[in-house]
Amino acid sequence: MADRFRLTMAQLNPTVGALEANAEKAFAAWEEGKRAGADMVVLPEMFLTGYQTQDLIAKPAFVRDAVAAMEALGARITDGPALGIGGPYWTEQGQYNAYWVWKDGALVARMLKHDLPHHGIFDEYRIYDTGQISGPYAINGVRVGTPICEDAWHPDVAETLAETGAEILIVPNGSPYHRGKLDVRMTHMVARVVETGLPLAYLNSVGGQDDQVFDGASFVLNRHGQLAAQFAPFDEIIDHVDFERDGEGWACVAGRDDPQPSEWEQDYRAMVESLGDYLRKSGFSKVVLGLSGGIDSALVATIAADALGPEAVHCVMLPSEYTSQGSLDHAAELATRQGMRLDTVRIDGARDAVSDALAHLMEGTEPDVTEENIQSRLRGVMLMALSNKFGEMLLTTGNKSEMAVGYATIYGDMAGGYNPIKDLYKTRVFETCRWRNTNYRDWMKGPEGEVIPREIIEKPPSAELRPDQKDEDSLPPYPVLDGILEGLVERDASVADLVAEGYERETIKKVEHLLYISEWKRHQSAPGTRLSSKAFWLDRRYPIVNRWRDHG
């Protein structure tokens, strides 16, 4: 009977649909485990197809190719450790999120996901069937149980595995990041360890997929919930953990203990990684954005520089007579500090041409937001032209506060392919800029130091679409606005709840109204990094037409 079991945990970054590339990455990890004398190498949930596949997994031709790639990979797993890897399994009885275990060219076990998540960004009942709870399987004399992701968030699967003889639990995951997620995961996994008395290895993916970013942060727990190993978040890591048998059963020998960064660093890293992966996995290597001299575009440019390198970031200033000299200077200073290209294209002539073309229809009306939006939309037209001509993805720069209340121009500054700060409230934009100015990490590709001029952070925000315009002319002060939005969006608080918290009812009602009438804009907005558990899109799904208001 074995007294030692070496497990290689491959915290890696798959690409949805890249079946051959994902299989090669898995095989390379298996070879590394083989060189290290591992008994088993494990990869995350649905690693072969990438995750989440959404309705791609419902396409029979895709599943056929995925199963063929899985079987070809399994045939290569000879003369070495076992390999565990997630992938689909389709039969006449059902369509399953499965975990395949290979050894010596043969299938040892196929575990089927039992508890399908159907909350927040997940809707797995649409594309998978509920699998029967599988028993443990034997690897080199050790009985291993594998609850797949959500299976370990509830007691039934782990308890069944323990009752049927499992000695170690290995949990493969595709668990996307949101602020505070690691604590949530740890709480659930500690519960499973305490309930079963078994050690547990929690393996998570890393990398961006559309709006989601997987943060890794894999870990191993011993009996009684003691932390035995912890992987760094967001990094691709292949490392080995050793389990030893004692009189009470199996326990993991203390392994790597990577520090877990602050929520400010993790949010920033999530934006950098999701943007970089969105571009790389979509076939882009360069970006373009409108640099206004304001704080939002400054932060987006900085994130892009850290994701791609400053040489891949093309900034364009698009001034009119309403653009202050300070904004021109601040944009130039930011581009100089970070080594990014900055070009200037004036919009006055194009705006005047559009105004002249519409003059016979606009005659007798007073200038209003219509004329302001023409300026914004012309900027969008020009930036998209540069994107098309030079193959640079256009980034949008609206923060969550603006997305919430519609303080953005559809087909104007909302034009573009991705928005890394879409789930970041304005007050957090300020703090994130301050954090980046005082912190530097080796994963950042931009320069070190105070990369965002202090003047950009300290000046009052303005769209600069009319003389002396300030955001607070149209909106409550951002601390008030964000406090109300945090209640309405993140907590589903009522008007009465927010009044009790000290906000003015009139202001709450104004914000609520803007939130609801802007739903149509958000349905047409670019995807962006999910940082919270109530990001706009899959986390929070509201009807566009909605006449209800909270009169409490």
Side-chain angles (χ1 to χ4, degrees):
M1 183 179 292
D3 290 317
R4 192 173 184 90
F5 184 83
R6 170 160 282 194
L7 180 69
T8 297
M9 298 174 65
Q11 177 178 290
L12 298 177
N13 182 357
T15 299
V16 166
L19 302 175
E20 292 182 5
N22 294 340
E24 285 305 316
K25 183 171 278 197
F27 187 72
W30 178 81
E31 289 185 308
E32 190 164 332
K34 179 178 178 178
R35 288 190 293 270
D39 294 281
M40 185 175 186
V41 177
V42 290
L43 289 113
E45 175 185 18
M46 294 298 285
F47 186 85
L48 189 71
T49 59
Y51 193 69
Q52 294 192 64
T53 58
Q54 300 188 62
D55 285 1
L56 179 62
I57 203 71
K59 199 171 187 65
F62 176 71
V63 175
R64 179 199 64 212
D65 289 350
V67 171
M70 177 68 79
E71 291 173 345
L73 173 64
R76 300 169 70 187
I77 306 305
T78 59
D79 190 28
L83 175 72
I85 179 171
Y89 176 57
W90 260 221
T91 72
E92 292 182 359
Q93 288 71 43
Q95 304 174 356
Y96 303 105
N97 177 331
Y99 200 71
W100 303 60
V101 181
W102 299 92
K103 186 171 172 58
D104 297 327
L107 185 66
V108 172
R110 190 188 294 111
M111 320 296 284
L112 307 180
K113 192 172 184 179
H114 176 72
D115 290 307
L116 301 177
H118 52 281
H119 50 80
I121 60 173
F122 294 103
D123 200 3
E124 291 202 351
Y125 277 129
R126 292 185 69 246
I127 50 179
Y128 299 115
D129 292 304
T130 298
Q132 290 185 338
I133 300 179
S134 309
Y137 51 90
I139 301 294
N140 294 352
V142 180
R143 294 180 65 78
V144 177
T146 301
I148 302 172
C149 198
E150 186 82 6
D151 287 344
W153 288 57
H154 310 280
D156 53 345
V157 176
E159 286 181 356
T160 299
L161 287 165
E163 290 168 359
T164 53
E167 299 171 284
I168 297 172
L169 298 178
I170 297 173
V171 184
N173 295 268
S175 180
Y177 173 80
H178 67 66
R179 207 171 293 130
K181 186 69 170 288
L182 179 58
D183 290 340
V184 178
R185 295 179 191 135
M186 193 73 73
T187 297
H188 285 289
M189 296 310 110
V190 167
R192 302 294 84 80
V193 168
V194 171
E195 291 160 359
T196 63
L198 300 177
L200 180 150
Y202 181 101
L203 175 65
N204 193 24
S205 291
V206 292
Q209 174 58 35
D210 296 347
D211 64 315
Q212 297 161 40
V213 58
F214 297 86
D215 57 317
S218 305
F219 56 86
V220 181
L221 296 173
N222 273 328
R223 296 185 297 269
H224 314 299
Q226 296 171 327
L227 186 66
Q230 176 78 75
F231 286 22
F234 301 104
D235 292 340
E236 284 198 298
I237 297 171
I238 300 174
D239 205 355
H240 323 285
V241 293
D242 291 316
F243 293 85
E244 293 182 347
R245 190 195 303 269
D246 59 24
E248 297 182 58
W250 288 91
C252 182
V253 178
R256 67 187 300 144
D257 185 18
D258 295 336
Q260 301 301 302
S262 70
E263 71 171 36
W264 294 100
E265 179 171 341
Q266 295 212 38
D267 269 11
Y268 190 79
R269 180 80 184 271
M271 291 185 285
V272 169
E273 296 297 328
S274 65
L275 174 59
D277 266 359
Y278 188 80
L279 292 162
R280 179 178 61 82
K281 293 177 179 182
S282 301
F284 284 83
S285 59
K286 301 176 292 183
V287 297
V288 61
L289 73 150
L291 195 64
S292 67
I295 193 167
D296 295 323
S297 62
L299 180 56
V300 171
T302 303
I303 291 167
D306 282 335
L308 305 173
E311 68 282 355
V313 182
H314 181 191
C315 301
V316 183
M317 190 77 183
L318 298 125
S320 72
E321 70 268 29
Y322 304 129
T323 305
S324 68
Q325 186 61 45
S327 291
L328 295 168
D329 294 342
H330 298 155
E333 178 64 19
L334 181 132
T336 299
R337 289 188 186 189
Q338 299 195 41
M340 297 180 291
R341 175 182 172 183
L342 176 63
D343 290 318
T344 300
V345 178
R346 295 201 65 88
I347 66 167
D348 311 70
R351 182 206 56 207
D352 292 344
V354 171
S355 297
D356 290 346
L358 292 171
H360 66 293
L361 298 177
M362 301 286 197
E363 187 176 0
T365 67
E366 292 296 321
D368 57 15
V369 71
T370 305
E371 284 75 14
E372 294 179 23
N373 286 342
I374 287 172
Q375 298 173 66
S376 180
R377 291 187 175 116
L378 284 170
R379 288 176 171 132
V381 167
M382 293 177 177
L383 289 168
M384 279 304 305
L386 294 172
S387 173
N388 292 160
K389 181 63 69 176
F390 299 110
E392 303 163 337
M393 182 179 284
L394 175 58
L395 301 182
T396 69
T397 62
N399 59 69
K400 190 172 186 175
S401 308
E402 294 173 347
M403 292 296 100
V405 297
Y407 197 67
T409 304
I410 193 78
Y411 322 126
D413 57 340
M414 288 177 67
Y418 202 74
N419 180 359
I421 67 168
K422 184 179 181 179
D423 199 26
L424 201 66
Y425 285 118
K426 185 78 168 191
T427 47
R428 293 190 75 95
V429 169
F430 287 107
E431 287 304 313
T432 301
C433 289
R434 294 186 182 100
W435 181 88
R436 176 58 179 87
N437 274 350
T438 55
N439 292 274
Y440 187 77
R441 303 291 184 264
D442 58 8
W443 44 263
M444 298 174 179
K445 296 181 180 179
E448 191 171 356
E450 191 177 75
V451 292
I452 301 172
R454 206 170 311 168
E455 293 82 1
I456 291 178
I457 301 173
E458 293 175 352
K459 69 180 179 180
S462 170
E464 294 193 325
L465 295 173
R466 63 175 183 265
D468 302 318
Q469 184 180 22
K470 300 290 184 293
D471 288 4
E472 291 186 10
D473 297 341
S474 306
L475 299 173
Y478 279 112
V480 174
L481 175 63
D482 289 355
I484 293 171
L485 288 172
E486 191 276 335
L488 295 174
V489 175
E490 318 295 319
R491 297 187 281 119
D492 287 314
S494 67
V495 170
D497 292 335
L498 294 171
V499 169
E501 292 174 18
Y503 296 101
E504 294 182 358
R505 190 178 190 282
E506 182 181 352
T507 305
I508 299 166
K509 291 297 294 178
K510 176 183 178 181
V511 173
E512 179 203 40
H513 176 68
L514 292 172
L515 176 66
Y516 286 149
I517 67 169
S518 301
E519 195 65 46
W520 70 281
K521 284 188 179 182
R522 289 190 290 274
H523 275 245
Q524 300 182 61
S525 64
T529 313
R530 176 181 183 257
L531 301 172
S532 72
S533 59
K534 278 294 182 74
F536 293 128
W537 189 38
L538 294 179
D539 281 311
R540 183 184 182 278
R541 312 180 199 186
Y542 269 66
I544 295 174
V545 176
N546 169 23
R547 297 295 297 272
W548 179 83
R549 295 296 184 268
D550 182 357
H551 298 295

